[in-house]
Each structure stands twice: as structure tokens, then as C-alpha cells.
Amino acid sequence: GAVVSQHPSRVICKSGTSVKIECRSLDFQATTMFWYRQFPKQSLMLMATSNEGSKATYEQGVEKDKFLINHASLTLSTLTVTSAHPEDSSFYICSASPGTAVQETQYFGPGTRLLVL
Amino acid sequence: DAKTTQPTSMDCAEGRAANLPCNHSTISGNEYVYWYRQIHSQGPQYIIHGLKNNETNEMASLIITEDRKSSTLILPHATLRDTAVYYCIVRVANQAGTALIFGKGTTLSVSS
């Protein structure tokens, strides 16, 4: 299957600082990537849809000014958590599809664990 | 997208078949059934998907009832490494550019 990577895998930061998480499709191009957040013992929650060359679409309740998404190329999307607070501590996961076929599979990155102190 | 219902948890002995059910009684004709799993602290892993015919790959088999209102994921010979949360997701076929929406899934525990 296609490979999606994330960097870093873990990050610890102080409250009030900003953290950038990268999501890369390694062997395919992705017009659209997705960002999810997962709290302990809960399911994945969709945060936003990242579109190459245009603004991201955020789910209801997700602050666009706090979670900045940039999709500058067909293989890279970044999520920046601005002015992070302890409640932003979570597991952040991205996904992407290699194409636009009606039954195209989505592939997920390994996730980034963020801890805000 | 149609909603799915899965048991919260299941147990399986190593080497035996694991049969994970999923109810999707409101599925539409153009919605596919997808299965993913998530091993602890990792990103979800694609397993299999289907529309109406049964499907099999190197990981699992997917059995979809004739009325498409339910399906079963079968892991033919479960191993300890198959311990994970399994998610059944239905998705409109012509929305490949839309996200997968995850429910609570089934926690499968495989023991020796």
C-alpha cells in the first residue's frame, strides 16, 4: 500500500509555544489530505480537510486560527498548533489518498503524539 | 454516510478465526463498506473494502449480506498481533476526496 509519513513522531512543548507537524505522502501525490485528533481511549475525530493550493476546510468546533493548516505541495501538508495549551495534548494523525477513483483507499500516517506541559 | 454499529469488544483465541460483525442497516446503494484497524499508538491500517460481493485479500475476508445491511470481517487465523481496535466505516462511492468518519469500533483481544 501507499506510504504516509509524519514528523515528528513525538513532541513535548511548553504551554504557549507553537508546534508544527508534517504529513508527507512518500510514493504518491495527494490533492487532499485529512487531519484527525485522537484523545486517550477515544476514536479518531476529523479536524480538517487540507486541499493543495487552497484553504483548509475545518470541522465544526475546530478553531482555524489555532490549528493552522498549509498544503503547499501535492506531497506535504503541515498542521501548526499555535499557542499550545495542555488541553491540546493529543495524538494527531493525517491521511491521504493516492487518487480520486470512487473507491480509492485512504492511507494513514503513524501519528504524532503531542504533550503540552 | 450511513451509521455503523459494532460490538464494543470481542475476544479470540490465537489461531482461531476472528469474526467481527458490523451493522449498517441504513446503507445506501452507492456506499462501500471499509474496514480499518488501529493497533495501540499507531495510525489506522487499511484492511479491506467491498460494495456487495464478498472480498478476500491477504489480511482478511469481508462477507456482506445480500441485503447489505450487515457485514462480517473475518481474520482466518488470529495472532496476538491482530489485537487492535477494528473500525467498520461506510462511505459514499463518489466521494473519494472526503474523509473517513470513525465510530467507536470493536476492540479485539487475541490471547494465547
Side-chain angles (χ1 to χ4, degrees):
Chain A
V3 179
V4 176
S5 71
Q6 284 184 240
H7 178 80
S9 58
R10 293 176 177 270
V11 58
I12 301 174
C13 70
K14 294 182 179 180
S15 184
T17 61
S18 295
V19 175
K20 179 185 286 188
I21 302 170
E22 293 184 349
C23 176
R24 294 182 183 273
S25 55
L26 298 186
D27 51 2
F28 66 96
Q29 293 184 329
T31 304
T32 304
M33 292 183 174
F34 306 97
W35 286 96
Y36 295 81
R37 178 169 55 179
Q38 185 175 34
F39 293 108
K41 298 187 177 182
Q42 295 187 21
S43 187
L44 284 78
M45 294 186 301
L46 178 67
M47 297 178 66
T49 300
S50 172
N51 301 296
E52 189 267 339
S54 64
K55 292 183 179 180
T57 303
Y58 291 83
E59 294 300 299
Q60 189 174 10
V62 178
E63 300 176 55
K64 62 179 181 180
D65 295 330
K66 180 170 184 61
F67 298 99
L68 302 179
I69 292 174
N70 184 280
H71 194 155
S73 77
L74 288 173
T75 59
L76 173 64
S77 175
T78 60
L79 169 68
T80 301
V81 183
T82 62
S83 186
H85 291 286
E87 58 265 31
D88 298 322
S89 298
S90 189
F91 192 47
Y92 292 85
I93 308 168
C94 69
S95 73
S97 291
T100 57
V102 294
Q103 53 181 315
E104 194 65 70
T105 299
Q106 283 195 19
Y107 295 94
F108 287 79
T112 296
R113 191 161 301 280
L114 170 64
L115 177 61
V116 184
L117 302 177
Chain B
D1 293 337
K3 182 178 177 179
T4 62
T5 303
Q6 299 177 251
T8 302
S9 63
M10 294 183 65
D11 295 319
C12 180
E14 188 177 23
R16 303 297 294 268
N19 299 295
L20 291 88
C22 179
N23 182 289
H24 31 79
S25 58
T26 60
I27 192 170
S28 300
N30 62 348
E31 288 184 315
Y32 282 74
V33 179
Y34 285 80
W35 284 84
Y36 281 77
R37 72 179 181 184
Q38 185 179 27
I39 297 171
H40 184 62
S41 294
Q42 298 182 24
Q45 177 189 22
Y46 166 79
I47 301 173
I48 199 167
H49 73 279
L51 182 62
K52 56 182 179 180
N53 297 323
N54 297 337
E55 302 289 337
T56 296
N57 63 20
E58 64 278 4
M59 290 184 68
S61 294
L62 174 60
I63 308 298
I64 302 174
T65 58
E66 191 169 345
D67 63 7
R68 302 186 70 238
K69 292 185 177 182
S70 65
S71 60
T72 301
L73 178 73
I74 301 173
L75 307 178
H77 305 287
T79 70
L80 299 178
R81 287 178 291 183
D82 292 322
T83 293
V85 179
Y86 287 77
Y87 296 98
C88 169
I89 302 168
V90 296
R91 183 182 183 207
V92 178
N94 63 350
Q95 293 184 355
T98 59
L100 295 168
I101 304 301
F102 289 77
K104 296 182 179 180
T106 296
T107 299
L108 175 67
S109 299
V110 181
S111 57
S112 57

